[in-house]
């Protein structure tokens, strides 16, 4: 008789022991995860700030609640484990990290706790340095876009892509076009309509770029992209590479005469690395550049650069990491048949690589490893990282922005936008 009621008594006992949390999560809600950003304040101290976000598929999302406590964890890159350094209470969403040192790389993450549940933030990295001042190189009104700005090595001219507008028969038109601004005189001229990815020659006398001007679709959604050159002295435009294919990211090779570019000339949609020699002939150096299959709707590459001192080419390439897509930076050594090597490989987005003109060891790039896009420099021989910018909410680096070495390699210029849409090109000196 007693045996018959034992299961019921056990269930009752378990239910009576169920913990009733004072910070219970309301029915239908979920615990939000902290979205973490690492900032540097004017005193050079690291400030961690987070808000509460959620993963949400589609339009219908469960409401989220904040944690009733938070824990902060830190790790040096050469250490294997994170350690907890602080526990914070409800409604605390920032933390000033004590005892950080200039030039050291720190990684952080935050956990949110409530009613026995835990949500973990993204991991961020920051390398504190003396807080840098920036100088505005060029500024556009908010209704003008600024894409892919490149400052010449002499630092007196900027080539960039912006909207060219005109009115015809009462209809207003606009296309992304190549502009050239003289930073000494302030004069601006439109060079060519429907252009992409301008790049300077080493002496600043020529511009190369991609264009679709005067070209028509050959199939639905596919218009060829040609490569052209603009001579600043003669103001003449010459065709470098025509054809019925896409040609992207032209850049001068180490000899400053041949031109490297990406093209799908062998198979549409499959890009390889090509060289256009000074005699006008082109050759394929690497038939196909791939990291796994073509995935997602993101661009497979966003930038390419060639070193002026070595035969190394850098390209940021999209890859899949877990359930998300990120860009990392790879090198291609032309001395060894364009053999691929890792340059900047991380769990974050690393884009827009640019070799220093003053040495073969420095590579600048843009990364979101601090929680928002900032400019970084990596020393190739050692892998050591230096953070250059520490922008906050009032300025952010455009996702399609290029960076430029200026002041003989002592500073970096790059485009930023404000929340109101104002476009600037700013310059920050590299910390010692």
């Amino acid at each position: 008789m007693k045996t018959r009621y034992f299961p019921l008594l056990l269930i009752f006992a378990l239910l009576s022991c169920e913990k009733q949390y004072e910070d219970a999560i309301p029915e239908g809600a979920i615990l939000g995860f902290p979205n973490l950003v690492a900032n540097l304040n004017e005193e050079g101290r690291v400030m961690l700030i987070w808000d509460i976000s959620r993963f949400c598929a589609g339009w219908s999302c469960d409401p989220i609640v904040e944690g009733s406590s938070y824990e902060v964890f830190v790790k040096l890159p050469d250490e294997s484990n994170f350690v907890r350094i602080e526990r914070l209470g409800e409604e605390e969403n920032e933390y000033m990290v004590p005892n950080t040192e200039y030039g050291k790389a720190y990684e952080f993450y935050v956990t949110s706790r409530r009613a026995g549940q835990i949500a973990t933030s993204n991991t961020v990295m920051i390398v504190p340095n003396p807080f840098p001042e920036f100088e505005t190189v060029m500024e556009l009104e908010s209704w003008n876009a600024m894409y892919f700005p490149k400052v010449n090595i002499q630092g007196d001219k900027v080539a960039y892509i912006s909207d060219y507008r005109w009115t015809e028969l009462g209809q207003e038109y606009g296309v992304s076009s190549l502009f050239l601004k003289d930073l000494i005189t302030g004069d601006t001229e439109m060079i060519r309509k429907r252009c992409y990815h301008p790049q300077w020659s080493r002496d600043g006398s020529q511009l190369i770029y991609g264009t679709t001007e005067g070209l028509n679709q050959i199939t639905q959604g596919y218009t060829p992209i040609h490569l052209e050159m603009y001579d600043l002295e003669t103001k003449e435009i010459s065709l470098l590479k025509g054809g019925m294919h896409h040609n992207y990211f032209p850049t001068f090779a180490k000899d400053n005469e041949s031109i490297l570019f990406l093209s799908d000339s062998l198979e549409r949609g499959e890009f390889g690395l090509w060289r256009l020699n000074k005699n006008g002939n082109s050759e394929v150096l690497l038939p196909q550049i791939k990291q796994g299959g073509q995935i997602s709707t993101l661009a497979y590459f966003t930038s390419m650069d060639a070193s002026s001192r070595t035969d190394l080419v850098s390209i940021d390439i999209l890859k899949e990491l877990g359930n998300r897509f990120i860009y990392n930076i790879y090198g291609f050594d032309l001395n060894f048949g364009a053999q691929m090597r890792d340059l900047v490989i991380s769990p974050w987005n690393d884009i827009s690589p640019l070799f220093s003109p003053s040495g073969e060891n420095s590579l600048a790039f843009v990364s979101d490893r601090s929680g928002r896009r900032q400019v970084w420099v990596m020393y190739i021989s050692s892998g050591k990282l230096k953070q250059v910018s520490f922008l906050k909410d009032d300025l952010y680096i455009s996702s399609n922005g290029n960076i430029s070495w200026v002041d003989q390699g002592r500073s970096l210029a790059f485009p930023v936008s404000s929340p109101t849409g104002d476009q600037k090109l700013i310059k920050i000196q590299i910390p010692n």
Side-chain angles (χ1 to χ4, degrees):
M1 189 72 174
K2 291 182 179 179
T3 304
R4 179 194 305 176
Y5 294 107
F6 180 75
L8 295 177
L9 293 172
L10 180 61
I11 292 173
F12 177 79
L14 291 174
L15 290 175
S16 64
C17 292
E18 183 179 353
K19 186 173 183 179
Q20 299 300 314
Y21 293 99
E22 294 181 359
D23 58 349
I25 297 175
E27 184 177 354
I30 60 174
L31 178 62
F33 67 92
N35 182 38
L36 181 62
V37 174
N39 286 331
L40 192 75
N41 68 11
E42 283 72 10
E43 290 77 39
R45 300 185 64 187
V46 175
M47 171 70 80
L48 301 179
I49 301 176
W50 58 92
D51 56 20
I52 304 302
S53 304
R54 61 183 161 197
F55 292 113
C56 179
W59 294 101
S60 178
C61 300
D62 294 327
I64 59 174
V65 294
E66 298 188 7
S68 54
S69 67
Y70 298 94
E71 294 179 326
V72 181
F73 294 81
V74 66
K75 179 177 79 69
L76 298 177
D78 56 353
E79 295 178 341
S80 56
N81 297 312
F82 282 85
V83 296
R84 189 179 73 183
I85 56 174
E86 189 62 80
R87 184 168 185 173
L88 304 171
E90 190 175 5
E91 297 183 356
E92 294 188 75
N93 67 338
E94 62 181 45
Y95 176 67
M96 184 80 75
V97 182
N99 304 321
T100 54
E101 299 178 30
Y102 286 157
K104 270 194 173 181
Y106 298 89
E107 294 183 32
F108 300 94
Y109 74 86
V110 171
T111 59
S112 171
R113 294 176 178 267
R114 180 164 178 164
Q117 296 188 25
I118 301 176
T120 302
S121 76
N122 54 308
T123 300
V124 299
M125 173 189 283
I126 188 169
V127 181
N129 284 297
F131 195 82
E133 299 292 334
F134 69 81
E135 173 187 340
T136 298
V137 177
M138 183 178 77
E139 190 167 3
L140 296 180
E141 296 179 7
S142 59
W143 54 270
N144 275 325
M146 178 168 52
Y147 306 120
F148 312 109
K150 297 296 291 187
V151 184
N152 64 356
I153 193 65
Q154 293 73 24
D156 61 351
K157 292 182 175 61
V158 180
Y160 63 98
I161 305 299
S162 189
D163 296 325
Y164 174 72
R165 296 179 176 87
W166 74 96
T167 301
E168 187 175 316
L169 299 177
Q171 182 70 36
E172 186 173 342
Y173 298 90
V175 293
S176 296
S177 304
L178 175 62
F179 287 80
L180 181 63
K181 183 178 181 68
D182 190 310
L183 297 176
I184 306 300
T185 66
D187 295 335
T188 302
E189 58 180 320
M190 196 275 287
I191 304 299
R192 186 78 154 142
K193 290 189 287 188
R194 298 179 177 85
C195 293
Y196 316 89
H197 311 124
Q199 187 61 276
W200 291 95
S201 61
R202 304 274 189 263
D203 61 2
S205 65
Q206 297 168 322
L207 274 172
I208 52 177
Y209 53 89
T211 183
T212 59
E213 176 66 4
L215 303 176
N216 298 315
Q217 291 187 17
I218 57 175
T219 60
Q220 182 65 34
Y222 190 93
T223 302
I225 299 176
H226 291 176
L227 300 183
E228 293 182 343
M229 177 182 289
Y230 175 73
D231 188 290
L232 272 69
E233 182 177 355
T234 65
K235 299 187 179 298
E236 292 182 353
I237 293 174
S238 55
L239 178 66
L240 296 176
K241 179 68 176 176
M244 308 300 288
H245 310 283
H246 282 167
N247 302 302
Y248 283 132
F249 308 119
T251 183
F252 283 92
K254 184 178 70 171
D255 61 11
N256 200 37
E257 293 182 331
S258 58
I259 293 170
L260 302 170
F261 61 99
L262 300 182
S263 179
D264 64 350
S265 296
L266 298 181
E267 183 178 353
R268 185 171 299 168
E270 300 290 345
F271 286 88
L273 178 61
W274 290 70
R275 175 163 50 205
L276 181 66
N277 296 308
K278 59 183 179 180
N279 58 12
N281 296 325
S282 57
E283 60 175 325
V284 60
L285 302 177
L286 191 64
Q288 188 179 85
I289 300 173
K290 261 189 177 291
Q291 281 290 85
Q294 178 63 48
I295 45 182
S296 94
T297 57
L298 298 171
Y300 201 55
F301 319 98
T302 77
S303 183
M304 183 175 81
D305 186 53
S307 172
S308 62
R309 295 176 173 267
T310 70
D311 287 303
L312 197 60
V313 177
S314 60
I315 306 174
D316 50 14
I317 302 177
L318 185 70
K319 70 177 186 179
E320 189 172 9
L321 181 67
N323 61 352
R324 62 195 181 98
F325 303 104
I326 63 169
Y327 291 95
N328 280 169
I329 299 172
Y330 297 85
F332 298 85
D333 195 329
L334 304 187
N335 277 327
F336 297 94
Q339 182 177 343
M340 189 177 186
R341 57 179 281 194
D342 296 346
L343 281 182
V344 185
I345 307 300
S346 77
W348 300 284
N349 280 293
D350 305 310
I351 62 172
S352 302
L354 188 68
F355 293 103
S356 170
S358 60
E360 60 185 55
N361 191 36
S362 302
L363 180 75
F365 62 99
V366 174
S367 178
D368 64 358
R369 61 187 63 214
S370 71
R372 61 167 53 96
R373 286 189 294 269
Q374 304 284 4
V375 177
W376 293 69
V377 170
M378 186 190 75
Y379 297 99
I380 298 173
S381 60
S382 66
K384 183 179 179 180
L385 292 168
K386 181 174 289 186
Q387 189 168 347
V388 175
S389 71
F390 296 89
L391 303 177
K392 299 182 182 179
D393 293 337
D394 57 337
L395 289 176
Y396 60 92
I397 299 175
S398 307
S399 59
N400 51 13
N402 280 358
I403 51 182
S404 304
W405 289 95
V406 293
D407 299 336
Q408 289 74 49
R410 295 191 301 271
S411 305
L412 283 163
F414 51 94
V416 295
S417 302
S418 71
T420 59
D422 294 325
Q423 308 278 312
K424 292 181 181 180
L425 186 66
I426 67 173
K427 179 177 71 172
I428 292 182
Q429 187 172 348
I430 307 297
N432 293 326

